[in-house]
Amino acid sequence: MGLLSTLFGIIGFGIGVPFGLLVGFFLFIYSKPKTVMEPIHRPVYELDNSALLDLLPDIPLWVKCPDYDRVDWLNKFVTYMWPYLDKAVCARIRSMTEPIFAEYIGKFQIEAIEFDNLSLGTLPPEIHGLKVCETNENELVMEPAVRWAGNPNIVLVLKLLSFRITLQLVDLQIFAAPRITLKPLVPTLPCFAAVVVSLLEKPEVDFGMTILGGDIMAIPGLYQFVQKTIKKQVASLYHWPQTLEIPILDAATVAVKKPVGILHVKIVRAQKLLKKDILGTSDPYVKLFLTGESLPAKKTTIKKRNLNPEWNEKFKLIVKDPQSQVLHLQVYDWDKVGTHDHLGMQLVPLKTLTPYETTEFNLDLLKHTNIITDPQDKKKRGNIVVELTYAPFREESIKIDGPQDGYGRQESGFDRPSDSELFSGAGLLSVMVQGAEDVEGERHNNPYAVVLFRGETKKTKMIKRTRDPLWNEEFQFMLEEPPLNENIHIDVMSKRTGISFRSKEFLGYVDINLTDVVHNGRINQKYHLINSKNGVIHVEIRWTTV
């Protein structure tokens, strides 16, 4: 009997194993993905106590946290747009994965990799709350709480040795807390140049992967491994402070040129100038300015009755683009009555200068720059001697590596000079008066700001009939040494637009010590106005050395 049972066992094993392999082979090759069904929705009042307790972690953040706002309107917008977003996102996924799949064609006996079905389903993600963060920078920061329990139907087909293998992604759930920053804000639609996205926390991602009708994510240990790997990879790319930057506007169209250096100009002398006065002489002086600047031109002193004047006067001009800007030198004969006579002019492109090297130019004066078409311009008008030195600013600001192919991560680095360099030498003090809040006058509210520093006075434009003016005006002061232990004084005033004996009104003031600006290179803060009940002024100050 024992021999007989052993014999039957051997025969059963010999028949069962090939039969099982055959059945498994056909299931593996010819199995088809299941149809994704719509989830069943039940109203909350039909749930029992235990089910309600399970739902407590899913209560929207706008219910639990007062910092988050309810954004039903945004969820409705996403719901209406979801069919179109679905097609757009899926098309983007196909275009991104095609070159990746193409790299594996021909390897490991793979004949083709393609999507048999690609849809994000009918259930859009929901925003359970939105927090808008206030910063002093020129940006808008939003932190939505995004949850997506979707019903996507994503089927990938792998053709291997003439066999067709299908993998299906089902039951996808994503919980994420991104930070979305629109920056910088610019006066060009859509009013921001780029979207910067980062994750404040590692995202929670859950999904199923079916092969042969079974979920391989149910294999012990595999689910935890995949979860850990996904979180690690995503966090390494986009977990704050790592960011994903998506440019919206061309940088060239919205770039605001900032000062990059100082041009030191020494007007030395002029020789053999034209005679414009009745007595056979001239009273020359020189005007100089850089192209691309709206600042008033600088002037030398007037040398009375002198055709070979000696000035030896020094000036400093702010440079924003040394590759395109040109120095204009214009020599005039001063007249007490009427317009001043033009003696000649010359141009010096800044791109011809070597940084930190002083170059002397002996330039023949011209009537104008169009010498080819005007033969009269060949008339001798004398010459002018100038010394020019271009001193670029040190790289003290944050350096950002631009994204690749429209998308990318960016990291910041800070290159600071030594203390001996920081507290010595010339530099540029830039004062940006952003705006004010809750400034209120007794008789009128037409506020403007007045900046006073080292005897110089700068004024912003006046904003009529408002308590919260936005000026966004920048003023610059070139200094020979860092402004250590010095204060900059800002008054907020109001001026009546009509005729009145008491047309001006004082709304408050602030004194800002510049020591922190010298140490840190920049401050960007809001200050409470003195002698104002609730007034606040927003000021950004930079100190840049050469």
Side-chain angles (χ1 to χ4, degrees), residues 36 119-122 148-154 168-173:
V36 177
S119 172
L120 299 182
T122 59
W148 184 30
N151 57 339
N153 188 14
I154 303 175
Q168 185 177 21
L169 180 69
V170 295
D171 300 331
L172 179 63
Q173 298 185 42

Side-chain angles (χ1 to χ4, degrees), residues 267-285:
I267 307 296
V268 182
R269 71 181 72 89
Q271 297 173 336
K272 300 178 181 179
L273 299 178
L274 294 179
K275 302 174 183 179
K276 289 292 183 177
D277 294 342
I278 299 176
L279 299 178
T281 184
S282 294
D283 303 324
Y285 70 93

Side-chain angles (χ1 to χ4, degrees), residues 149-308:
N151 57 339
N153 188 14
I154 303 175
V155 180
L156 186 67
V157 176
L158 175 65
K159 294 182 180 179
L160 180 64
L161 294 175
S162 300
F163 298 126
R164 181 183 174 91
I165 305 173
T166 60
L167 295 88
Q168 185 177 21
L169 180 69
V170 295
D171 300 331
L172 179 63
Q173 298 185 42
I174 299 176
F175 297 164
R179 170 175 288 174
I180 302 174
T181 305
L182 309 180
K183 70 175 186 179
L185 302 180
V186 295
T188 303
L189 290 175
C191 298
F192 55 91
V195 179
V196 181
V197 183
S198 60
L199 296 174
L200 299 179
E201 299 177 358
K202 294 181 180 179
E204 296 290 339
V205 182
D206 191 9
F207 61 90
M209 182 75 70
T210 61
I211 299 180
L212 304 178
D215 190 355
I216 63 172
M217 300 304 293
I219 299 176
L222 181 61
Y223 175 78
Q224 289 79 5
F225 173 77
V226 172
Q227 287 282 318
K228 184 178 180 180
T229 302
I230 291 177
K231 289 183 179 181
K232 183 178 179 180
Q233 292 298 323
V234 173
S236 65
L237 294 174
Y238 307 122
H239 196 197
W240 191 89
Q242 308 292 339
T243 61
L244 167 69
E245 182 172 350
I246 306 173
I248 303 299
L249 296 176
D250 185 6
T253 62
V254 299
V256 178
K257 292 184 178 179
K258 295 292 185 181
V260 296
I262 295 177
L263 178 66
H264 297 264
V265 182
K266 181 179 180 181
I267 307 296
V268 182
R269 71 181 72 89
Q271 297 173 336
K272 300 178 181 179
L273 299 178
L274 294 179
K275 302 174 183 179
K276 289 292 183 177
D277 294 342
I278 299 176
L279 299 178
T281 184
S282 294
D283 303 324
Y285 70 93
V286 182
K287 288 178 64 175
L288 58 152
F289 63 92
L290 286 175
T291 56
E293 281 289 345
S294 59
L295 299 174
K298 296 182 180 295
K299 300 178 182 179
T300 65
T301 57
I302 301 169
K303 299 297 182 180
K304 296 291 187 69
R305 298 180 294 276
N306 195 336
L307 299 180
N308 299 286

Side-chain angles (χ1 to χ4, degrees), residues 66-82:
D67 291 339
Y68 283 82
D69 297 324
R70 184 176 181 178
V71 285
D72 289 344
W73 63 271
L74 186 56
N75 286 318
K76 186 176 293 186
F77 173 82
V78 174
T79 300
Y80 286 136
M81 290 292 295
W82 185 245

Side-chain angles (χ1 to χ4, degrees), residues 379-490:
K379 178 181 178 181
K380 296 293 185 179
R381 295 176 173 272
N383 65 295
I384 185 172
V385 179
V386 297
E387 294 179 0
L388 305 180
T389 307
Y390 170 55
F393 291 139
R394 291 192 179 99
E395 294 293 336
E396 299 175 12
S397 57
I398 295 177
K399 301 176 182 179
I400 299 178
D401 297 326
Q404 301 292 330
D405 300 329
Y407 298 86
R409 291 180 298 117
Q410 65 183 31
E411 301 177 8
S412 61
F414 206 72
D415 184 16
R416 295 188 56 83
S418 62
D419 290 343
S420 60
E421 295 174 330
L422 187 65
F423 302 136
S424 63
L428 180 69
L429 184 69
S430 301
V431 181
M432 171 68 80
V433 184
Q434 303 277 12
E437 302 172 8
D438 293 329
V439 290
E440 184 175 5
E442 295 181 0
R443 295 177 294 276
H444 42 76
N445 286 303
N446 304 312
Y448 64 95
V450 181
V451 180
L452 299 98
F453 181 67
R454 289 190 177 181
E456 291 189 61
T457 301
K458 313 280 187 177
K459 294 182 180 180
T460 67
K461 59 181 178 290
M462 182 179 66
I463 308 296
K464 296 181 180 180
R465 293 183 294 276
T466 181
R467 296 175 56 188
D468 304 305
L470 291 175
W471 295 296
N472 291 317
E473 294 192 36
E474 185 174 8
F475 306 105
Q476 296 164 340
F477 304 89
M478 283 186 291
L479 310 178
E480 293 294 337
E481 68 282 335
L484 283 170
N485 301 318
E486 293 190 58
N487 292 340
I488 191 165
H489 183 88
I490 302 177

